[in-house]
Amino acid sequence: MRFRVFHRTRYVYRAAVRDSYNEVRLRPVTDDKSRLEFFLLNVKPPARLQHFRDNWLNYVHYFDIPEPHNDLIIESQSTINTTNPYKDGRPLGVAFEALKSETDEMVSLFLGTSRYVEVTPEVWRLGIDIRNDSNDIFETAEAVMHHIYREWTYAPSSTTASTHMNEVLEKKQGVCQDFTHLMIGICRSLGIPARYISGYLYNGPDSHLRGAQASHAWCEVHIPGKGWFGLDPTNDTLADERHIKIATGRDYQDAAPVSGHFDGPPGATAALQVELEVRRLDG
């Protein structure tokens, strides 16, 4: 599928702020499943944009605005071609024993506790119950996805960007970020490497997918010998060509589309406005 994405984030401050520093992960990924054709990033007030690759190989733009300002607008435009990672079928048939021979250090980094994900006895017991008697890694990951979709309530505005997985586990409600953290925690507790993906979701005219109104999140699990494969627990679906990846990390902290800080007087908090359009170009 071929898409055009327009994404605008605006912060309106209640009082003038200064020395604003921001990191932006909004450039879609080019890999064997997607190809970026065009990308443009604009910032208002105007700022010099620089970039680097972070520890997870995300393309990160950064900028600072030293002078006082009352609002900040970050706009990105991109054109991207995606293919279905599951066009050759699901990566079934790999047993849990294969995880013991995994030696890639970049894979092992997605096995433990991170900022918003904790591997605890409670989440391990839940994972064992969901796994049941399966010895297939991907089949188990699918079962985790199905369980979250069935047992947790999708409730916009019930959580915040800083909500921890343990709170989601207790309250049994949340949004795509929360369900992704929960799935990551369950998979890691079973020894399955799992990572957080931020991106966009195309919701076609006949689709009724959750989380397409703003930046979306889903989980990828690593299958030894086959690679990383995405699953979307918010929609109980495989992450296919409708999912446009922009960043990867251990959890939301590593892959947040926009993050930063500023100096200002007491009460200089920001109101957030987000506008997103994902339009299909080839059908």
CSV table of all heavy atoms in Angstrom, one decimal, residues 141-162:
chain,number,residue,atom,x,y,z
A,141,ALA,N,2.5,-15.8,21.4
A,141,ALA,CA,2.4,-14.4,21.3
A,141,ALA,C,1.0,-14.0,20.7
A,141,ALA,O,0.4,-13.0,21.2
A,141,ALA,CB,3.5,-13.8,20.3
A,142,GLU,N,0.5,-14.7,19.8
A,142,GLU,CA,-0.9,-14.5,19.3
A,142,GLU,C,-1.9,-14.7,20.4
A,142,GLU,O,-2.9,-13.9,20.5
A,142,GLU,CB,-1.2,-15.4,18.1
A,142,GLU,CG,-0.7,-14.9,16.8
A,142,GLU,CD,-1.2,-15.8,15.7
A,142,GLU,OE1,-0.9,-17.0,15.6
A,142,GLU,OE2,-1.9,-15.2,14.8
A,143,ALA,N,-1.7,-15.7,21.2
A,143,ALA,CA,-2.6,-16.0,22.3
A,143,ALA,C,-2.6,-14.8,23.3
A,143,ALA,O,-3.6,-14.4,23.9
A,143,ALA,CB,-2.3,-17.3,23.0
A,144,VAL,N,-1.4,-14.2,23.6
A,144,VAL,CA,-1.3,-13.1,24.5
A,144,VAL,C,-2.1,-11.9,23.9
A,144,VAL,O,-2.9,-11.2,24.6
A,144,VAL,CB,0.2,-12.7,24.7
A,144,VAL,CG1,0.3,-11.4,25.5
A,144,VAL,CG2,0.9,-13.8,25.4
A,145,MET,N,-2.0,-11.7,22.6
A,145,MET,CA,-2.7,-10.6,21.9
A,145,MET,C,-4.2,-10.8,22.1
A,145,MET,O,-4.9,-9.9,22.4
A,145,MET,CB,-2.3,-10.5,20.4
A,145,MET,CG,-3.1,-9.5,19.6
A,145,MET,SD,-2.6,-9.5,17.9
A,145,MET,CE,-3.3,-11.1,17.3
A,146,HIS,N,-4.7,-12.0,21.8
A,146,HIS,CA,-6.1,-12.3,21.8
A,146,HIS,C,-6.6,-12.1,23.3
A,146,HIS,O,-7.7,-11.5,23.5
A,146,HIS,CB,-6.4,-13.8,21.4
A,146,HIS,CG,-6.0,-14.1,20.0
A,146,HIS,ND1,-6.1,-13.2,19.0
A,146,HIS,CD2,-5.6,-15.3,19.5
A,146,HIS,CE1,-5.7,-13.8,17.9
A,146,HIS,NE2,-5.4,-15.0,18.1
A,147,HIS,N,-5.8,-12.5,24.3
A,147,HIS,CA,-6.3,-12.4,25.7
A,147,HIS,C,-6.4,-10.9,26.1
A,147,HIS,O,-7.4,-10.6,26.7
A,147,HIS,CB,-5.2,-13.1,26.6
A,147,HIS,CG,-5.6,-13.0,28.0
A,147,HIS,ND1,-6.4,-14.0,28.6
A,147,HIS,CD2,-5.3,-12.2,29.0
A,147,HIS,CE1,-6.6,-13.7,29.9
A,147,HIS,NE2,-5.9,-12.6,30.1
A,148,ILE,N,-5.5,-10.1,25.7
A,148,ILE,CA,-5.6,-8.7,26.1
A,148,ILE,C,-6.8,-8.0,25.4
A,148,ILE,O,-7.5,-7.3,26.0
A,148,ILE,CB,-4.3,-7.9,25.7
A,148,ILE,CG1,-3.1,-8.4,26.5
A,148,ILE,CG2,-4.4,-6.4,25.8
A,148,ILE,CD1,-1.8,-7.9,26.1
A,149,TYR,N,-7.0,-8.3,24.1
A,149,TYR,CA,-8.1,-7.7,23.4
A,149,TYR,C,-9.4,-8.2,24.1
A,149,TYR,O,-10.4,-7.4,24.2
A,149,TYR,CB,-8.1,-8.2,22.0
A,149,TYR,CG,-9.2,-7.6,21.1
A,149,TYR,CD1,-9.1,-6.3,20.6
A,149,TYR,CD2,-10.3,-8.3,20.8
A,149,TYR,CE1,-10.1,-5.8,19.9
A,149,TYR,CE2,-11.4,-7.8,20.1
A,149,TYR,CZ,-11.3,-6.5,19.6
A,149,TYR,OH,-12.3,-6.0,18.8
A,150,ARG,N,-9.5,-9.4,24.5
A,150,ARG,CA,-10.7,-10.0,25.1
A,150,ARG,C,-11.0,-9.5,26.5
A,150,ARG,O,-12.1,-9.2,26.9
A,150,ARG,CB,-10.7,-11.5,25.0
A,150,ARG,CG,-11.9,-12.2,25.4
A,150,ARG,CD,-11.8,-13.7,25.2
A,150,ARG,NE,-10.7,-14.3,26.0
A,150,ARG,CZ,-9.6,-14.8,25.5
A,150,ARG,NH1,-9.4,-14.8,24.2
A,150,ARG,NH2,-8.7,-15.3,26.3
A,151,GLU,N,-10.0,-9.4,27.3
A,151,GLU,CA,-10.1,-9.1,28.7
A,151,GLU,C,-9.9,-7.7,29.2
A,151,GLU,O,-10.3,-7.3,30.3
A,151,GLU,CB,-9.1,-10.0,29.5
A,151,GLU,CG,-9.3,-11.5,29.2
A,151,GLU,CD,-10.7,-12.0,29.7
A,151,GLU,OE1,-11.2,-11.4,30.7
A,151,GLU,OE2,-11.2,-13.0,29.2
A,152,TRP,N,-9.3,-6.8,28.3
A,152,TRP,CA,-9.1,-5.4,28.7
A,152,TRP,C,-10.0,-4.5,27.9
A,152,TRP,O,-10.4,-4.8,26.8
A,152,TRP,CB,-7.6,-5.0,28.5
A,152,TRP,CG,-6.8,-5.2,29.7
A,152,TRP,CD1,-6.3,-4.2,30.5
A,152,TRP,CD2,-6.3,-6.5,30.2
A,152,TRP,NE1,-5.6,-4.8,31.5
A,152,TRP,CE2,-5.5,-6.2,31.4
A,152,TRP,CE3,-6.4,-7.8,29.8
A,152,TRP,CZ2,-4.9,-7.1,32.1
A,152,TRP,CZ3,-5.8,-8.8,30.6
A,152,TRP,CH2,-5.0,-8.4,31.7
A,153,THR,N,-10.4,-3.4,28.6
A,153,THR,CA,-11.4,-2.5,28.0
A,153,THR,C,-10.6,-1.3,27.3
A,153,THR,O,-9.8,-0.7,28.0
A,153,THR,CB,-12.3,-1.9,29.0
A,153,THR,OG1,-13.1,-3.0,29.6
A,153,THR,CG2,-13.3,-0.9,28.4
A,154,TYR,N,-10.9,-1.0,26.1
A,154,TYR,CA,-10.4,0.1,25.4
A,154,TYR,C,-11.1,1.4,25.9
A,154,TYR,O,-12.3,1.5,25.7
A,154,TYR,CB,-10.5,0.0,23.9
A,154,TYR,CG,-9.9,1.1,23.1
A,154,TYR,CD1,-8.5,1.2,23.0
A,154,TYR,CD2,-10.7,2.1,22.5
A,154,TYR,CE1,-7.9,2.3,22.3
A,154,TYR,CE2,-10.1,3.1,21.8
A,154,TYR,CZ,-8.7,3.2,21.7
A,154,TYR,OH,-8.1,4.2,20.9
A,155,ALA,N,-10.3,2.3,26.6
A,155,ALA,CA,-11.0,3.4,27.3
A,155,ALA,C,-10.1,4.6,27.0
A,155,ALA,O,-9.2,4.9,27.8
A,155,ALA,CB,-11.1,3.1,28.7
A,156,PRO,N,-10.4,5.4,26.0
A,156,PRO,CA,-9.6,6.6,25.7
A,156,PRO,C,-9.7,7.6,26.9
A,156,PRO,O,-10.7,7.7,27.6
A,156,PRO,CB,-10.3,7.2,24.5
A,156,PRO,CG,-10.9,6.1,23.8
A,156,PRO,CD,-11.3,5.1,24.9
A,157,SER,N,-8.6,8.3,27.2
A,157,SER,CA,-8.5,9.3,28.3
A,157,SER,C,-8.4,8.6,29.7
A,157,SER,O,-8.5,9.3,30.7
A,157,SER,CB,-9.6,10.3,28.2
A,157,SER,OG,-9.6,11.0,27.0
A,158,SER,N,-8.4,7.3,29.8
A,158,SER,CA,-8.3,6.6,31.1
A,158,SER,C,-6.9,6.5,31.6
A,158,SER,O,-6.7,6.3,32.8
A,158,SER,CB,-8.9,5.2,31.0
A,158,SER,OG,-8.2,4.4,30.1
A,159,THR,N,-5.9,6.8,30.8
A,159,THR,CA,-4.5,6.7,31.2
A,159,THR,C,-3.8,7.9,30.6
A,159,THR,O,-4.4,8.7,29.8
A,159,THR,CB,-3.9,5.4,30.7
A,159,THR,OG1,-4.0,5.3,29.3
A,159,THR,CG2,-4.5,4.2,31.4
A,160,THR,N,-2.5,8.0,30.9
A,160,THR,CA,-1.7,9.1,30.4
A,160,THR,C,-0.4,8.5,29.8
A,160,THR,O,-0.2,7.3,29.8
A,160,THR,CB,-1.2,10.1,31.5
A,160,THR,OG1,-0.3,9.4,32.4
A,160,THR,CG2,-2.4,10.6,32.3
A,161,ALA,N,0.4,9.3,29.2
A,161,ALA,CA,1.6,8.9,28.5
A,161,ALA,C,2.6,8.2,29.5
A,161,ALA,O,3.4,7.4,29.2
A,161,ALA,CB,2.3,10.0,27.8
A,162,SER,N,2.4,8.5,30.8
A,162,SER,CA,3.4,8.0,31.8
A,162,SER,C,2.7,6.8,32.6
A,162,SER,O,3.3,6.4,33.6
A,162,SER,CB,3.8,9.1,32.8
A,162,SER,OG,2.6,9.7,33.4
